Amino acid sequence: MTKSQQKIILYILFGGIATLIHIAVYTLLRTTIHSPIPIAYFIAWSAAVVYAFWSNRKAIFESEATTFNQITMEFIKFASSRVITGLIGWLILTLGVLLYPNDLLWNIFQNIIVIVANYAISKYLVFTNVKI
C-alpha cells in the first residue's frame, strides 16, 4: 500500500469519526433538548471541525507548522474552508427536509458530500506546508 493510499484510509477513518461526532451531537441536541435544526447543526458542525483540525493536521496532511502563528493561520484557513462546506451541508439538509422530512437521514447524506469536499480543500489549500 502506498503512502498516499494510507493517508486516504486515515482520512476516511478520521472523517468517519468526525461524522460520528457530528451525528451524535446533532442527534443528542435534537432528541434530548429539542434544539432547533439550525442550532443543532451549527453546534454539531463546530465540534466536528475542531476534532477534524487536530486529527488531520499531523496524521494526514503532515503539517510542518510549529509556531502559534503558523498553527493559528492553518486553523483559520481550515475553519474558513469548513464554513463553505458547512453551508453546503446545511443547504443539503434544509432542502432535503423539504423534499423528504427525515432530518437525521439528510444529515448523514450531507456529511458524506462534505467529507469529500473537505479532503480536497485541506490537501490543496489548507495544509500546504508553507512557512509563515
Side-chain angles (χ1 to χ4, degrees):
M1 181 179 301
T2 68
K3 187 173 182 173
S4 179
Q5 290 169 326
Q6 290 172 344
K7 296 293 181 184
I8 290 172
I9 290 169
L10 281 175
Y11 187 79
I12 291 169
L13 174 67
F14 289 127
I17 294 169
T19 300
L20 290 175
I21 289 169
H22 188 281
I23 292 167
V25 171
Y26 180 85
T27 301
L28 181 69
L29 292 170
R30 289 285 292 143
T31 60
T32 61
I33 63 171
H34 307 290
S35 176
I37 290 173
I39 292 170
Y41 182 87
F42 177 74
I43 293 170
W45 174 84
S46 297
V49 167
V50 170
Y51 167 79
F53 175 74
W54 290 108
S55 65
N56 284 202
R57 69 178 299 274
K58 281 289 191 182
I60 298 163
F61 298 107
E62 299 177 358
S63 171
E64 294 177 3
T66 56
T67 69
F68 177 79
N69 286 344
Q70 291 172 330
I71 295 168
T72 299
M73 288 305 298
E74 271 185 352
F75 183 75
I76 289 169
K77 289 192 303 185
F78 188 86
S80 297
S81 69
R82 290 325 195 247
V83 167
I84 294 167
T85 59
L87 288 172
I88 291 167
W90 180 79
L91 283 172
I92 291 169
L93 178 64
T94 301
L95 296 175
V97 168
L98 293 174
L99 297 172
Y100 181 76
N102 184 335
D103 60 305
L104 299 177
L105 179 67
W106 283 106
N107 191 36
I108 293 168
F109 175 72
Q110 67 82 21
N111 267 287
I112 294 167
I113 302 301
V114 167
I115 286 171
V116 173
N118 285 340
Y119 180 82
I121 292 168
S122 291
K123 182 174 175 83
Y124 297 109
L125 299 175
V126 176
F127 298 109
T128 56
N129 294 322
V130 175
K131 301 291 184 208
I132 297 172

